[in-house]
Amino acid sequence: MDGGFDYELSRILKGMGDIWHLTDHCQTYIRDVWHGHIPPGSCMIVPLPDDAASAGNPWGARALAISPTMHAPEDVSWHQDLVYNTMWSLLVQLEQWNKTSDAEGRAKIQTVLMTGLGTGYGCIEADKCAQQMMLAVKHFRMPLVDRVRWIDVEQRVRDIRATTDCQKPDSVVNPWALGPFGLPTLIVLVAAPILAFAGVSHALN
């Protein structure tokens, strides 16, 4: 977390430590949970260190999502649905965090502050990124069927393919009408927002 948006998070949320405090904290979770490597497109939400969650924290954030889009800083624009998959993983982890928050004594996450996914070093076009982020939210909010068949996913596949061709999907969603999970929007400060970052996917030695 030593470049771009990740570096700013490390600088602002260093708490009582140095610039590597947040990186070391996240790498501990990556080592323990993901055997040292969290693949691109995955997501893991970790609580911020106590000192980073209080001292100098301008958003009142209490957790951070590790959402890698690349193994190392490089062009990943060739990957057709990387943004969609990464956004989907984030939504799944948010849902799981909130489902278990009461039992584990954690505040529910209601607001997400995040950048575009892969739009920096990854060279993914902003329009494509925005379409896939919103599309993932739209699909995530659809009712689940008991038994999934191919006919149930054909429209989803067409929607994703449309974003890879820089076309408008068959049915788009207004991000301002998404309610509490309107993630591709500006942050609204609440009790326990989460920060999402798209850093590299492995624990550095």
Side-chain angles (χ1 to χ4, degrees):
M1 297 178 61
D2 58 351
F5 180 64
D6 299 355
Y7 175 80
E8 289 304 309
L9 293 182
S10 294
R11 182 182 64 81
I12 295 172
L13 299 176
K14 65 181 181 179
M16 303 302 293
D18 60 17
I19 198 68
W20 293 102
H21 182 46
L22 188 60
T23 297
D24 293 342
H25 176 76
C26 292
Q27 287 176 354
T28 298
Y29 278 88
I30 293 173
R31 284 193 297 268
D32 293 347
V33 178
W34 286 89
H35 199 68
H37 172 76
I38 176 169
S42 306
C43 179
M44 174 174 61
I45 298 176
V46 302
L48 286 174
D50 290 339
D51 57 346
S54 54
N57 185 333
W59 306 289
R62 295 293 179 268
L64 184 143
I66 303 171
S67 301
T69 54
M70 59 194 73
H71 296 283
E74 60 183 343
D75 187 336
V76 292
S77 59
W78 55 269
H79 199 308
Q80 295 299 299
D81 55 358
L82 174 64
V83 172
Y84 180 93
N85 295 338
T86 306
M87 190 69 187
W88 186 273
S89 296
L90 172 60
L91 292 166
V92 170
Q93 291 303 306
L94 285 169
E95 182 178 65
Q96 292 302 313
W97 176 284
N98 286 343
K99 280 183 177 179
T100 61
S101 61
D102 290 339
E104 298 188 10
R106 301 183 307 227
K108 284 183 169 58
I109 295 169
Q110 301 180 46
T111 300
V112 175
L113 168 66
M114 64 189 301
T115 65
L117 297 168
T119 54
Y121 286 111
C123 299
I124 294 175
E125 294 182 0
D127 286 349
K128 175 181 176 180
C129 175
Q131 285 188 9
Q132 290 200 5
M133 290 172 72
M134 291 191 294
L135 191 61
V137 175
K138 175 198 169 184
H139 288 166
F140 192 83
R141 289 170 59 87
M142 288 179 174
L144 294 174
V145 297
D146 292 333
R147 298 289 183 270
V148 178
R149 300 294 182 263
W150 284 117
I151 193 173
D152 300 312
V153 298
E154 287 176 349
Q155 182 60 54
R156 177 177 302 191
V157 172
R158 285 195 295 270
D159 286 348
I160 296 173
R161 285 178 178 170
T163 67
T164 66
D165 296 330
C166 295
Q167 301 170 359
K168 182 178 291 186
D170 291 349
S171 54
V172 296
V173 61
N174 176 2
W176 299 105
L178 291 173
F181 277 127
L183 302 185
T185 63
L186 298 177
I187 185 171
V188 178
L189 297 181
V190 293
I194 183 175
L195 300 169
F197 76 97
V200 296
S201 62
H202 55 280
L204 302 175
N205 293 324

